[in-house]
Amino acid sequence: MSRQILLGDEAVALGAVHAGLSAGYSYPGTPASEIMEYLIHLAGENKAFKATWSVNEKVAYEEALGVSFAGKRALVSFKHVGLNVAADPFMNSAITGANGGLLVVSADDPGMHSSQNEQDSRYYVQFAQIFGYEPSDHQEAYEMTREAFDLSERFGLPVLMRLVTRLSHSRSPVETRDARPQNELKKGAAKDWILLPVNARRRFGLLLDRQAEMVRFSDESRFNVLKLNEGDRSFGVIASGVAYNYFREAEAGEASLPSFLKVSTYPLPEGLIRRLVGHVDTVLVVEDGYPFIERQLKGLFGIAGKTVLGKLSGTLPASGELSPDIVRRALGRGPLPALEASGLPLAGRPPQLCVGCPHADTFKALNKALEGTSGSNVFSDIGCYTLGALPPYNAIHSCVCMGASIGMARGAADVGIRPAVSVIGDSTFAHSGITPLLGAAHADSDMTVIILDNATTAMTGGQPTYGSGERLLRLIEGLGVAKEHIRTIEPLPKHHDKNVQVIKDEIGHRGLSVIVAVRECVQEQRKRRS
Ligand code: SF4
């Protein structure tokens, strides 16, 4: 037993290693990146287990599924929208089942600190009809991770753990225990893993048969805690995940607590919920994310004569992160004492590209080349270069999801938008830009794709990229783009005029062209030289 101060993400990584992890896979994305960063650190020089960044989340999931097929324990981690990318193998792995323990960690971002939505991964647990954990603190993140691998093997199913930014990115002491050894190789039976309809129907039946056992396990889980206040039957609280801490903090110093149920596992512990709801007249549901529990209370349980308060009732805000003060207000208490903000006239600091960033020079050249055209036709993607939407560049006009820029530019070009331009980074291109470019090359769509090759996944901290340099150029040619319309530029102020001309020439071409802007991220350059 030892005690360490860990990030929530690190507690998960260490819990997985101590549970006998054989391999971990991930694609970077805030707030989940630190899980893989720490796994790589823990794997160390002697590579005690496999820990690697994958090309995208779907690939990461499939790599982890292969490990599970082989009977070993695997972890796959990503941010919540990464689970959308991995949704196909995720949903189908609930049918194939897991052989070696398979833990999926999806880190949600309530409040959208660095995300394009605040979707709640608990719906994926329900959608796939598997078991899910939601830790409320770092110790639970460690303990639940250890337990999740055992449970995955017991049910023969993948297990999902939902984290949120506030837990992933805060630090707290964690008591750790001895590591168990890795599993021996033991391949899965092909009749379970080949999802021909005859097998899939049988496997889906098994999944449905396990539902009642999962609810029982949830009801008996040590992570769900029910406390009934026998002296007060008027009001109770159901709190899940980190929101449970906000509830406890809000009640700190009060003479007695209302009845409460801490929910940390899914499917919901129905028996515990019935006992809490049966004990009180009004229930407040405190959960970070969507009103997942609140909706089920109102629907599934049909609690006539009871009042359910939460996000749907307007007692708590429907969007954004919860906080101790927000929960205090919902409980009818005033805000906690706080220090006054300083009166210093601090300047606002909107996010911006680093000084000397190569993207800045590309955007300046692109803006110049587009002068006099109809404008508003630059489709972009997710990376540091999304900041090109802001002044002084105002250079891009869309950012939807990983890889969307190329498909969107093609669609716009198909219906007559001209010029149609896509701007995408090298890592995002490798993630999910290759397939839409294959389609655009096949159709010779009238559009120009600009790939910003800075040789890294910069926005999430400089993880490796799979498509950079000569390899990237060969890949583009291999997809069928005409060699004479694959151009490279070096985005530097001294090349501005030349770069503008290259972009103008390729925009003028009535067909597909690809321009690769090659210059290393200045932050990575600094790291390399230090
Ligand atoms: S981290 Fe690199 S790519 Fe991102 S803004 Fe800074 S220099 Fe540009």
Side-chain angles (χ1 to χ4, degrees), residues 335-357:
L336 292 164
L339 292 175
E340 285 296 314
S342 138
L344 289 174
L346 298 174
R349 297 198 311 166
Q352 53 187 300
L353 296 172
C354 304
V355 174
C357 174

PDB file of all heavy atoms in Angstrom, residues 335-357:
ATOM      1  N   PRO A 335     -24.400  31.490  -0.737  1.00  0.00           N
ATOM      2  CA  PRO A 335     -23.068  31.118  -1.219  1.00  0.00           C
ATOM      3  C   PRO A 335     -22.065  31.007  -0.079  1.00  0.00           C
ATOM      4  O   PRO A 335     -22.237  31.622   0.968  1.00  0.00           O
ATOM      5  CB  PRO A 335     -22.695  32.262  -2.167  1.00  0.00           C
ATOM      6  CG  PRO A 335     -23.565  33.400  -1.769  1.00  0.00           C
ATOM      7  CD  PRO A 335     -24.811  32.823  -1.170  1.00  0.00           C
ATOM      8  N   LEU A 336     -21.018  30.205  -0.320  1.00  0.00           N
ATOM      9  CA  LEU A 336     -19.937  30.091   0.658  1.00  0.00           C
ATOM     10  C   LEU A 336     -19.162  31.397   0.709  1.00  0.00           C
ATOM     11  O   LEU A 336     -19.113  32.132  -0.287  1.00  0.00           O
ATOM     12  CB  LEU A 336     -18.993  28.956   0.245  1.00  0.00           C
ATOM     13  CG  LEU A 336     -19.561  27.545   0.331  1.00  0.00           C
ATOM     14  CD1 LEU A 336     -18.681  26.576  -0.458  1.00  0.00           C
ATOM     15  CD2 LEU A 336     -19.679  27.107   1.789  1.00  0.00           C
ATOM     16  N   PRO A 337     -18.541  31.720   1.861  1.00  0.00           N
ATOM     17  CA  PRO A 337     -17.722  32.932   1.902  1.00  0.00           C
ATOM     18  C   PRO A 337     -16.596  32.836   0.882  1.00  0.00           C
ATOM     19  O   PRO A 337     -16.025  31.764   0.677  1.00  0.00           O
ATOM     20  CB  PRO A 337     -17.153  32.942   3.321  1.00  0.00           C
ATOM     21  CG  PRO A 337     -17.693  31.760   4.016  1.00  0.00           C
ATOM     22  CD  PRO A 337     -18.523  30.956   3.090  1.00  0.00           C
ATOM     23  N   ALA A 338     -16.321  33.951   0.207  1.00  0.00           N
ATOM     24  CA  ALA A 338     -15.267  33.929  -0.824  1.00  0.00           C
ATOM     25  C   ALA A 338     -14.489  35.232  -0.758  1.00  0.00           C
ATOM     26  O   ALA A 338     -15.007  36.259  -0.303  1.00  0.00           O
ATOM     27  CB  ALA A 338     -15.881  33.751  -2.206  1.00  0.00           C
ATOM     28  N   LEU A 339     -13.249  35.196  -1.197  1.00  0.00           N
ATOM     29  CA  LEU A 339     -12.436  36.413  -1.252  1.00  0.00           C
ATOM     30  C   LEU A 339     -12.949  37.306  -2.367  1.00  0.00           C
ATOM     31  O   LEU A 339     -13.424  36.826  -3.399  1.00  0.00           O
ATOM     32  CB  LEU A 339     -10.976  36.053  -1.523  1.00  0.00           C
ATOM     33  CG  LEU A 339     -10.240  35.301  -0.407  1.00  0.00           C
ATOM     34  CD1 LEU A 339      -8.841  34.898  -0.882  1.00  0.00           C
ATOM     35  CD2 LEU A 339     -10.136  36.184   0.841  1.00  0.00           C
ATOM     36  N   GLU A 340     -12.872  38.596  -2.162  1.00  0.00           N
ATOM     37  CA  GLU A 340     -13.232  39.545  -3.212  1.00  0.00           C
ATOM     38  C   GLU A 340     -12.218  39.450  -4.340  1.00  0.00           C
ATOM     39  O   GLU A 340     -11.017  39.307  -4.099  1.00  0.00           O
ATOM     40  CB  GLU A 340     -13.203  40.977  -2.654  1.00  0.00           C
ATOM     41  CG  GLU A 340     -14.385  41.329  -1.761  1.00  0.00           C
ATOM     42  CD  GLU A 340     -15.702  41.293  -2.507  1.00  0.00           C
ATOM     43  OE1 GLU A 340     -15.765  41.843  -3.622  1.00  0.00           O
ATOM     44  OE2 GLU A 340     -16.662  40.691  -1.987  1.00  0.00           O
ATOM     45  N   ALA A 341     -12.684  39.556  -5.593  1.00  0.00           N
ATOM     46  CA  ALA A 341     -11.750  39.558  -6.721  1.00  0.00           C
ATOM     47  C   ALA A 341     -10.904  40.822  -6.667  1.00  0.00           C
ATOM     48  O   ALA A 341     -11.364  41.880  -6.224  1.00  0.00           O
ATOM     49  CB  ALA A 341     -12.518  39.494  -8.024  1.00  0.00           C
ATOM     50  N   SER A 342      -9.655  40.710  -7.094  1.00  0.00           N
ATOM     51  CA  SER A 342      -8.754  41.856  -7.073  1.00  0.00           C
ATOM     52  C   SER A 342      -9.291  42.963  -7.969  1.00  0.00           C
ATOM     53  O   SER A 342      -9.918  42.713  -9.001  1.00  0.00           O
ATOM     54  CB  SER A 342      -7.384  41.383  -7.560  1.00  0.00           C
ATOM     55  OG  SER A 342      -6.824  42.316  -8.418  1.00  0.00           O
ATOM     56  N   GLY A 343      -9.041  44.211  -7.590  1.00  0.00           N
ATOM     57  CA  GLY A 343      -9.495  45.349  -8.396  1.00  0.00           C
ATOM     58  C   GLY A 343      -8.503  45.736  -9.471  1.00  0.00           C
ATOM     59  O   GLY A 343      -8.667  46.753 -10.135  1.00  0.00           O
ATOM     60  N   LEU A 344      -7.455  44.916  -9.653  1.00  0.00           N
ATOM     61  CA  LEU A 344      -6.429  45.286 -10.640  1.00  0.00           C
ATOM     62  C   LEU A 344      -7.013  45.307 -12.049  1.00  0.00           C
ATOM     63  O   LEU A 344      -7.805  44.437 -12.410  1.00  0.00           O
ATOM     64  CB  LEU A 344      -5.275  44.275 -10.597  1.00  0.00           C
ATOM     65  CG  LEU A 344      -4.378  44.327  -9.357  1.00  0.00           C
ATOM     66  CD1 LEU A 344      -3.380  43.184  -9.393  1.00  0.00           C
ATOM     67  CD2 LEU A 344      -3.650  45.662  -9.284  1.00  0.00           C
ATOM     68  N   PRO A 345      -6.624  46.272 -12.849  1.00  0.00           N
ATOM     69  CA  PRO A 345      -7.167  46.369 -14.221  1.00  0.00           C
ATOM     70  C   PRO A 345      -6.472  45.355 -15.139  1.00  0.00           C
ATOM     71  O   PRO A 345      -5.611  45.713 -15.943  1.00  0.00           O
ATOM     72  CB  PRO A 345      -6.843  47.806 -14.622  1.00  0.00           C
ATOM     73  CG  PRO A 345      -5.619  48.152 -13.837  1.00  0.00           C
ATOM     74  CD  PRO A 345      -5.677  47.356 -12.556  1.00  0.00           C
ATOM     75  N   LEU A 346      -6.818  44.059 -14.984  1.00  0.00           N
ATOM     76  CA  LEU A 346      -6.154  43.033 -15.787  1.00  0.00           C
ATOM     77  C   LEU A 346      -6.732  43.002 -17.191  1.00  0.00           C
ATOM     78  O   LEU A 346      -7.948  43.066 -17.379  1.00  0.00           O
ATOM     79  CB  LEU A 346      -6.343  41.654 -15.134  1.00  0.00           C
ATOM     80  CG  LEU A 346      -5.745  41.509 -13.726  1.00  0.00           C
ATOM     81  CD1 LEU A 346      -6.136  40.164 -13.132  1.00  0.00           C
ATOM     82  CD2 LEU A 346      -4.236  41.652 -13.767  1.00  0.00           C
ATOM     83  N   ALA A 347      -5.850  42.885 -18.164  1.00  0.00           N
ATOM     84  CA  ALA A 347      -6.306  42.830 -19.557  1.00  0.00           C
ATOM     85  C   ALA A 347      -6.925  41.471 -19.841  1.00  0.00           C
ATOM     86  O   ALA A 347      -6.496  40.457 -19.279  1.00  0.00           O
ATOM     87  CB  ALA A 347      -5.109  43.055 -20.481  1.00  0.00           C
ATOM     88  N   GLY A 348      -7.934  41.439 -20.691  1.00  0.00           N
ATOM     89  CA  GLY A 348      -8.514  40.173 -21.125  1.00  0.00           C
ATOM     90  C   GLY A 348      -7.478  39.400 -21.936  1.00  0.00           C
ATOM     91  O   GLY A 348      -6.638  40.008 -22.602  1.00  0.00           O
ATOM     92  N   ARG A 349      -7.518  38.073 -21.847  1.00  0.00           N
ATOM     93  CA  ARG A 349      -6.535  37.279 -22.592  1.00  0.00           C
ATOM     94  C   ARG A 349      -7.246  36.223 -23.432  1.00  0.00           C
ATOM     95  O   ARG A 349      -7.311  35.051 -23.043  1.00  0.00           O
ATOM     96  CB  ARG A 349      -5.543  36.621 -21.639  1.00  0.00           C
ATOM     97  CG  ARG A 349      -4.718  37.645 -20.859  1.00  0.00           C
ATOM     98  CD  ARG A 349      -3.481  37.016 -20.277  1.00  0.00           C
ATOM     99  NE  ARG A 349      -3.794  35.783 -19.585  1.00  0.00           N
ATOM    100  CZ  ARG A 349      -2.879  34.900 -19.213  1.00  0.00           C
ATOM    101  NH1 ARG A 349      -1.628  35.110 -19.477  1.00  0.00           N
ATOM    102  NH2 ARG A 349      -3.218  33.794 -18.575  1.00  0.00           N
ATOM    103  N   PRO A 350      -7.817  36.636 -24.564  1.00  0.00           N
ATOM    104  CA  PRO A 350      -8.489  35.642 -25.401  1.00  0.00           C
ATOM    105  C   PRO A 350      -7.473  34.648 -25.945  1.00  0.00           C
ATOM    106  O   PRO A 350      -6.294  34.977 -26.107  1.00  0.00           O
ATOM    107  CB  PRO A 350      -9.086  36.488 -26.540  1.00  0.00           C
ATOM    108  CG  PRO A 350      -8.285  37.736 -26.558  1.00  0.00           C
ATOM    109  CD  PRO A 350      -7.797  37.969 -25.164  1.00  0.00           C
ATOM    110  N   PRO A 351      -7.897  33.386 -26.219  1.00  0.00           N
ATOM    111  CA  PRO A 351      -6.941  32.420 -26.757  1.00  0.00           C
ATOM    112  C   PRO A 351      -6.405  32.873 -28.102  1.00  0.00           C
ATOM    113  O   PRO A 351      -7.123  33.512 -28.882  1.00  0.00           O
ATOM    114  CB  PRO A 351      -7.782  31.142 -26.908  1.00  0.00           C
ATOM    115  CG  PRO A 351      -9.195  31.602 -26.916  1.00  0.00           C
ATOM    116  CD  PRO A 351      -9.249  32.865 -26.134  1.00  0.00           C
ATOM    117  N   GLN A 352      -5.151  32.606 -28.356  1.00  0.00           N
ATOM    118  CA  GLN A 352      -4.579  32.980 -29.643  1.00  0.00           C
ATOM    119  C   GLN A 352      -3.420  32.066 -30.005  1.00  0.00           C
ATOM    120  O   GLN A 352      -2.876  31.372 -29.148  1.00  0.00           O
ATOM    121  CB  GLN A 352      -4.121  34.438 -29.638  1.00  0.00           C
ATOM    122  CG  GLN A 352      -3.198  34.800 -28.489  1.00  0.00           C
ATOM    123  CD  GLN A 352      -2.925  36.294 -28.446  1.00  0.00           C
ATOM    124  OE1 GLN A 352      -2.404  36.845 -29.406  1.00  0.00           O
ATOM    125  NE2 GLN A 352      -3.282  36.939 -27.358  1.00  0.00           N
ATOM    126  N   LEU A 353      -3.058  32.078 -31.290  1.00  0.00           N
ATOM    127  CA  LEU A 353      -1.920  31.285 -31.752  1.00  0.00           C
ATOM    128  C   LEU A 353      -0.652  31.802 -31.085  1.00  0.00           C
ATOM    129  O   LEU A 353      -0.525  33.000 -30.812  1.00  0.00           O
ATOM    130  CB  LEU A 353      -1.782  31.404 -33.270  1.00  0.00           C
ATOM    131  CG  LEU A 353      -2.948  30.852 -34.107  1.00  0.00           C
ATOM    132  CD1 LEU A 353      -2.768  31.212 -35.576  1.00  0.00           C
ATOM    133  CD2 LEU A 353      -3.066  29.336 -33.949  1.00  0.00           C
ATOM    134  N   CYS A 354       0.313  30.906 -30.833  1.00  0.00           N
ATOM    135  CA  CYS A 354       1.599  31.336 -30.261  1.00  0.00           C
ATOM    136  C   CYS A 354       2.289  32.315 -31.216  1.00  0.00           C
ATOM    137  O   CYS A 354       2.098  32.247 -32.430  1.00  0.00           O
ATOM    138  CB  CYS A 354       2.529  30.142 -30.078  1.00  0.00           C
ATOM    139  SG  CYS A 354       1.878  28.818 -29.087  1.00  0.00           S
ATOM    140  N   VAL A 355       3.119  33.160 -30.636  1.00  0.00           N
ATOM    141  CA  VAL A 355       3.923  34.056 -31.469  1.00  0.00           C
ATOM    142  C   VAL A 355       4.836  33.190 -32.349  1.00  0.00           C
ATOM    143  O   VAL A 355       5.501  32.281 -31.853  1.00  0.00           O
ATOM    144  CB  VAL A 355       4.766  34.997 -30.586  1.00  0.00           C
ATOM    145  CG1 VAL A 355       5.716  35.830 -31.441  1.00  0.00           C
ATOM    146  CG2 VAL A 355       3.868  35.880 -29.749  1.00  0.00           C
ATOM    147  N   GLY A 356       4.823  33.433 -33.634  1.00  0.00           N
ATOM    148  CA  GLY A 356       5.681  32.673 -34.551  1.00  0.00           C
ATOM    149  C   GLY A 356       5.051  31.388 -35.053  1.00  0.00           C
ATOM    150  O   GLY A 356       5.688  30.625 -35.783  1.00  0.00           O
ATOM    151  N   CYS A 357       3.785  31.124 -34.693  1.00  0.00           N
ATOM    152  CA  CYS A 357       3.114  29.895 -35.134  1.00  0.00           C
ATOM    153  C   CYS A 357       3.028  29.857 -36.664  1.00  0.00           C
ATOM    154  O   CYS A 357       2.615  30.839 -37.287  1.00  0.00           O
ATOM    155  CB  CYS A 357       1.711  29.839 -34.536  1.00  0.00           C
ATOM    156  SG  CYS A 357       0.756  28.438 -35.153  1.00  0.00           S
TER     157      CYS A 357
END
